[in-house]
């Protein structure tokens, strides 16, 4: 009986405990439901907050763009008002019936007036963003190198922020720093988004294209290797909903590691010849792989590749290192893209410094293809237009001495990229030019005896249609790579006029070969030789040609300094100034040897 009572008491206690547990469980379930509802409301609130923030950021960007466009419009209006042709027109109009006022107005219009500075886009702060997107800071930070126990402090190469080759096109890019640096100037580029925040970042500027590299670091690595991650699938679904083309670019690593993820993309490219995908290799990026020197110059040493590129060097610092040594020794097996980047920075590759060999290697690196040309191929393959500015050239060729006609036409005929030639010379030059210059449009104008050479060039400039305009002197010698080398400067400089302040010259009477200003290569300078002038057509029309036969180029260079037009001096090669004698050259140049200049200049 006692046992029965004890069991009954235990059963009652168990029942009571069970009831209490069930009550607590029910309460916990109610609390969990409340927590779930609160979490849902919190997610909704965060989503609304992100939407409002994105809308505010978009409005902020639109307002900044409207302000910038207004500044551009005011700048254009101001530039037109101070333009010489506009001031001359105003002077003629106001002094039409008053000769004294007309003369005074023309004198005032002839005076140089400084053009207003063009407005610049200012970065727009994104509320709550940890870094600016796109265009996070990409500058060199490591300025000290150590060699054999000695420490060297470098002045880092200043990496340009632009301009963009295709500002009308926006691309979202997932890439390691090297590839990001190659692509950042080819379009408006959005980077830095992650699997967690892409849906918030990308709508700020919806891209036309998604490009994903086979990355080896960063938040997307786990999403791309092995089984594709949910973040990658969500990103591609987001792109599919908006008709955004998707591209996977295999650049490094075992393709098998990325194969499953690559299958999810619309287009796939690779640089690996063993992979059966369309080829897309690295090319040099002229904005960063160029011969612009470091501010402190080069160290007088030949470095091995290990000395040149110590471990853990960020890519902006790599671009500084490329420009540092007198030469670089690269072992067999060095990747071709690495050799091309070093050569494109003007650094000789080999055991000894050699400026001639370095120039040929630079030319070869660019001829292998730039990233602009690679992106042209990519866009054509995915079906997007690749509209961009060209480097097509119109040549102004004044032939005032009939005996120089054959020589002058031969110099133009050996150039590439010439779309149009304006020949100003004797009547027989027209037919002869059409026979010799079969790949270019030839326009002929007969010179007026009373006109100066500058006036003839001004008349010829009105006929030019290409983006660039070159002036060639019929007395001089131009190598077959002359215009190609000179045009290259427009890919990495911000100048409107390019030419040569450093060049070879040959004086016939003493049979002397001279080198003018060898230190003036790859630099922004006050002036260049008029016979090497290559300029953007619109800028040249704004500056104009002086009505002079001798010295029109000196007047033009003074006008450029007054108006703030940038002038850039390229390399010393590809051109020889030929004169019977020239006392100015004898006093301003270095004697190279007595003999022909062409073996030195034409490489």
């Amino acid at each position: 009986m006692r046992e029965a009572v004890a069991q009954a008491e235990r059963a009652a206690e168990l029942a009571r405990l069970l009831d209490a547990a069930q009550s607590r469980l029910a309460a916990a379930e109610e609390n969990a439901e409340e927590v779930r509802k609160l979490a849902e409301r919190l997610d909704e609130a965060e989503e609304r907050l992100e939407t409002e923030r994105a809308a505010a950021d978009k409005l902020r960007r639109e307002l900044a763009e409207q302000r910038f466009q207004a500044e551009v419009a005011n700048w254009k209006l101001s530039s037109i008002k101070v333009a010489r042709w506009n001031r001359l027109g105003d002077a003629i109009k106001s002094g039409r019936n008053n000769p004294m006022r007309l003369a005074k107005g023309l004198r005032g219009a002839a005076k140089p007036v400084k053009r207003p500075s063009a407005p610049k886009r200012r970065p727009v702060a994104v509320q709550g963003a940890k870094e600016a997107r796109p265009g996070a800071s990409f500058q060199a930070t490591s300025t000290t190198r150590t060699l054999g126990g000695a420490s060297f402090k470098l002045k880092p190469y200043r990496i340009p922020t632009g301009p963009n080759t295709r500002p009308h096109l926006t691309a979202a890019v997932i890439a390691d720093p090297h590839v990001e640096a190659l692509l950042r100037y080819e379009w408006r580029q959005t980077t830095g988004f992650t699997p967690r925040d892409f849906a918030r970042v990308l709508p700020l500027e919806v891209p036309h294209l998604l490009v994903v590299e086979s990355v080896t670091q960063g938040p997307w690595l786990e999403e791309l290797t092995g089984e594709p991650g949910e973040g990658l699938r969500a990103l591609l679904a987001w792109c599919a909903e908006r008709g955004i083309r998707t591209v996977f670019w295999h650049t490094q690593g075992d393709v098998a590691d990325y194969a499953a993820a690559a299958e999810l993309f619309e287009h796939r490219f690779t640089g690996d010849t063993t992979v059966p995908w369309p080829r897309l290799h690295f090319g040099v990026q002229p904005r960063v792989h160029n011969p612009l020197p470091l501010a402190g110059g080069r160290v007088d040493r030949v470095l091995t590749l290990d000395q040149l590129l110590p471990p853990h060097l960020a890519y902006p610092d790599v671009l500084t290192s490329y420009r540092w040594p007198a030469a670089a020794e690269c072992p067999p097996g060095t990747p071709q893209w690495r050799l091309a980047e070093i050569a494109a920075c003007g650094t000789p590759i080999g055991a000894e410094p050699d400026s001639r060999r370095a120039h040929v290697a630079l030319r070869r690196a660019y001829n292998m293809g730039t990233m602009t040309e690679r992106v042209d191929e990519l866009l054509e393959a995915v079906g997007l237009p690749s509209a961009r500015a060209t480097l097509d050239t119109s040549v102004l060729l004044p032939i005032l001495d009939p005996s120089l006609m054959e020589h002058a036409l031969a110099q133009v005929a050996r150039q590439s990229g010439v779309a149009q030639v304006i020949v100003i010379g004797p009547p027989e030059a027209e037919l002869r030019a059409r026979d010799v210059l079969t790949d270019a449009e030839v326009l002929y104008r007969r010179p007026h005896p009373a006109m100066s050479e500058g006036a003839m060039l001004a008349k010829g400039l009105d006929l030019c249609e290409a983006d660039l305009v070159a002036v060639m002197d019929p007395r001089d010698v131009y190598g077959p790579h002359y215009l190609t080398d000179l045009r290259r400067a427009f890919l990495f400089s911000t100048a409107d006029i390019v030419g040569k302040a450093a060049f070879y010259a040959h004086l016939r009477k003493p049979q002397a070969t001279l080198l003018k200003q060898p230190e003036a290569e790859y630099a922004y300078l006050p002036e260049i030789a008029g016979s090497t002038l290559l300029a953007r057509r619109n800028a040249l029309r704004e500056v104009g040609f002086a009505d002079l036969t001798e010295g029109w180029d000196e007047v033009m260079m003074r006008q450029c300094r007054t108006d703030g037009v940038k002038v850039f001096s390229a390399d010393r090669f590809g051109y020889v100034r030929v004169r019977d004698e020239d006392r100015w050259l004898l006093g301003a140049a270095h004697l190279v040897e007595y003999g022909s200049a062409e073996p030195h200049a034409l490489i």
Side-chain angles (χ1 to χ4, degrees):
M1 185 62 131
R2 289 194 193 96
E3 288 182 8
V5 170
Q7 289 177 354
E9 289 176 351
R10 284 197 297 272
E13 180 64 18
L14 288 173
R16 185 181 66 77
L17 293 173
L18 181 60
D19 289 341
Q22 288 177 341
S23 298
R24 287 196 296 272
L25 181 60
E29 289 177 350
E30 291 177 1
N31 291 335
E33 182 65 20
E34 291 180 4
V35 169
R36 186 184 63 78
K37 291 180 179 179
L38 287 173
E40 289 179 354
R41 288 200 293 271
L42 180 61
D43 289 340
E44 291 174 359
E46 288 180 347
E47 186 176 345
R48 288 196 299 272
L49 177 62
E50 293 297 341
T51 302
E52 293 297 329
R53 183 176 294 166
D57 289 338
K58 183 178 180 181
L59 288 174
R60 192 178 294 109
R61 291 172 186 274
E62 290 176 351
L63 178 60
E65 181 64 21
Q66 290 174 3
R67 287 174 177 169
F68 173 72
Q69 294 299 336
E71 291 176 359
V72 170
N74 289 330
W75 169 70
K76 289 181 178 179
L77 180 61
S78 301
S79 298
I80 291 174
K81 287 181 178 179
V82 301
R84 187 181 302 168
W85 59 267
N86 189 68
R87 290 184 286 120
L88 286 171
D90 290 343
I92 294 172
K93 182 177 180 181
S94 61
R96 182 167 44 192
N97 299 320
N98 188 327
M100 294 294 292
R101 181 183 295 174
L102 175 62
K104 184 177 180 181
L106 291 176
R107 282 197 300 271
K111 294 180 181 178
V113 176
K114 187 175 182 179
R115 293 191 299 181
S117 300
K120 297 181 179 179
R121 274 193 171 89
R122 291 178 288 274
V124 181
V126 179
Q127 185 178 359
K130 295 181 180 179
E131 60 180 4
R133 292 189 176 96
S137 178
F138 192 80
Q139 294 297 335
T141 58
S142 178
T143 58
T144 302
R145 303 288 188 275
T146 302
L147 289 177
S151 181
F152 297 84
K153 189 171 181 62
L154 308 184
K155 292 185 178 179
Y157 170 67
R158 184 70 181 174
I159 297 170
T161 57
N164 290 332
T165 303
R166 304 170 188 82
H168 63 282
L169 190 65
T170 301
V173 175
I174 298 171
D176 285 345
H178 178 211
V179 170
E180 183 183 334
L182 297 180
L183 295 175
R184 63 191 286 116
Y185 303 99
E186 298 304 325
W187 41 42
R188 294 167 63 88
Q189 184 159 291
T190 301
T191 59
F193 53 92
T194 69
R196 293 177 59 85
D197 66 4
F198 75 84
R200 174 175 61 84
V201 174
L202 295 185
L204 299 178
E205 186 173 6
V206 178
H208 304 89
L209 179 70
L210 170 70
V211 178
V212 178
E213 185 207 5
S214 51
V215 295
T216 61
Q217 57 184 303
W220 290 96
L221 177 58
E222 293 185 1
E223 299 283 332
L224 289 166
T225 52
E227 183 65 24
E230 292 301 320
L232 177 64
R233 294 180 184 275
L235 172 62
L236 295 176
W238 187 89
C239 291
E241 291 174 359
R242 292 157 179 79
I244 299 169
R245 292 166 172 81
T246 59
V247 172
F248 179 81
W249 187 13
H250 173 243
T251 62
Q252 57 192 330
D254 188 347
V255 71
D257 294 338
Y258 303 91
E263 290 299 323
L264 303 177
F265 289 77
E266 295 177 283
H267 303 274
R268 290 166 292 279
F269 297 91
T270 183
D272 190 339
T273 56
T274 64
V275 180
W277 294 346
R279 299 284 176 267
L280 185 64
H281 297 285
F282 288 150
V284 296
Q285 174 51 262
R287 302 286 195 275
V288 295
H289 303 137
N290 56 61
L292 291 175
L294 296 181
R298 295 182 181 271
V299 66
D300 189 19
R301 294 196 184 188
V302 177
L303 305 182
T304 66
L305 194 60
D306 291 338
Q307 292 172 323
L308 181 68
L309 303 174
H312 312 300
L313 208 60
Y315 195 69
D317 301 303
V318 168
L319 297 173
T320 297
S321 289
Y322 281 163
R323 294 166 166 79
W324 181 38
E329 284 193 88
C330 299
T334 302
Q336 190 63 43
W337 62 265
R338 178 76 77 186
L339 295 173
E341 289 185 1
I342 295 173
C345 291
T347 299
I349 297 175
E352 295 180 1
D354 186 327
S355 61
R356 291 166 56 83
R357 191 175 69 242
H359 183 74
V360 173
L362 182 152
R363 182 188 293 154
R364 187 181 300 118
Y366 272 83
N367 288 343
M368 288 170 59
T370 65
M371 279 310 299
T372 298
E373 293 164 333
R374 297 287 187 262
V375 170
D376 284 343
E377 298 170 10
L378 185 151
L379 294 176
E380 182 179 358
V382 305
L384 287 175
S386 180
R388 58 182 176 88
T390 71
L391 296 179
D392 290 344
T393 306
S394 294
V395 174
L396 293 173
L397 186 65
I399 308 174
L400 306 184
D401 184 349
S403 66
L404 296 173
M405 180 182 68
E406 291 295 336
H407 173 79
L409 293 176
Q411 303 309 302
V412 180
R414 66 203 304 191
Q415 307 301 318
S416 60
V418 176
Q420 184 186 43
V421 182
I422 315 299
V423 179
I424 306 168
E428 60 269 24
E430 180 178 9
L431 291 177
R432 186 59 183 148
R434 298 188 191 282
D435 290 340
V436 174
L437 307 175
T438 56
D439 295 331
E441 177 191 10
V442 175
L443 297 180
Y444 170 76
R445 291 296 182 270
R446 187 169 184 174
H448 193 283
M451 292 178 69
S452 67
E453 182 176 347
M456 295 177 193
L457 291 172
K459 289 288 186 182
L461 179 60
D462 292 337
L463 303 174
C464 293
E465 297 178 351
D467 292 335
L468 301 179
V469 176
V471 176
M472 295 178 67
D473 192 313
R475 296 172 291 181
D476 298 336
V477 176
Y478 298 85
H481 302 287
Y482 165 74
L483 275 180
T484 302
D485 287 347
L486 210 56
R487 278 194 296 262
R488 189 181 304 123
F490 285 105
L491 299 177
F492 55 79
S493 76
T494 56
D496 288 320
I497 295 178
V498 169
K500 295 180 186 291
F503 55 84
Y504 287 92
H506 182 71
L507 303 182
R508 287 197 186 96
K509 286 190 176 180
Q511 283 295 302
T513 288
L514 308 171
L515 176 57
K516 173 89 164 35
Q517 297 188 111
E519 71 284 352
E521 291 183 293
Y522 300 119
Y524 294 94
L525 295 175
E527 60 183 37
I528 48 91
S531 52
T532 67
L533 183 141
L534 179 65
R536 299 189 190 278
R537 183 187 59 190
N538 291 337
L540 192 58
R541 283 179 172 170
E542 184 67 26
V543 175
F545 289 92
D547 189 5
L548 297 168
T549 294
E550 295 292 335
W552 61 263
D553 53 342
E554 296 177 11
V555 175
M556 177 181 287
M557 292 298 105
R558 285 200 297 270
Q559 188 65 43
C560 288
R561 294 194 290 275
T562 300
D563 293 350
V565 177
K566 283 188 176 182
V567 177
F568 185 79
S569 172
D571 60 88
R572 72 182 75 173
F573 300 107
Y575 165 77
V576 180
R577 183 186 182 98
V578 180
R579 300 291 183 269
D580 289 333
E581 57 183 355
D582 192 321
R583 292 185 178 181
W584 173 78
L585 268 177
L586 283 172
H590 305 291
L591 177 65
V592 176
E593 69 169 3
Y594 288 97
S596 175
E598 295 188 17
H600 299 277
L602 307 188
I603 59 173

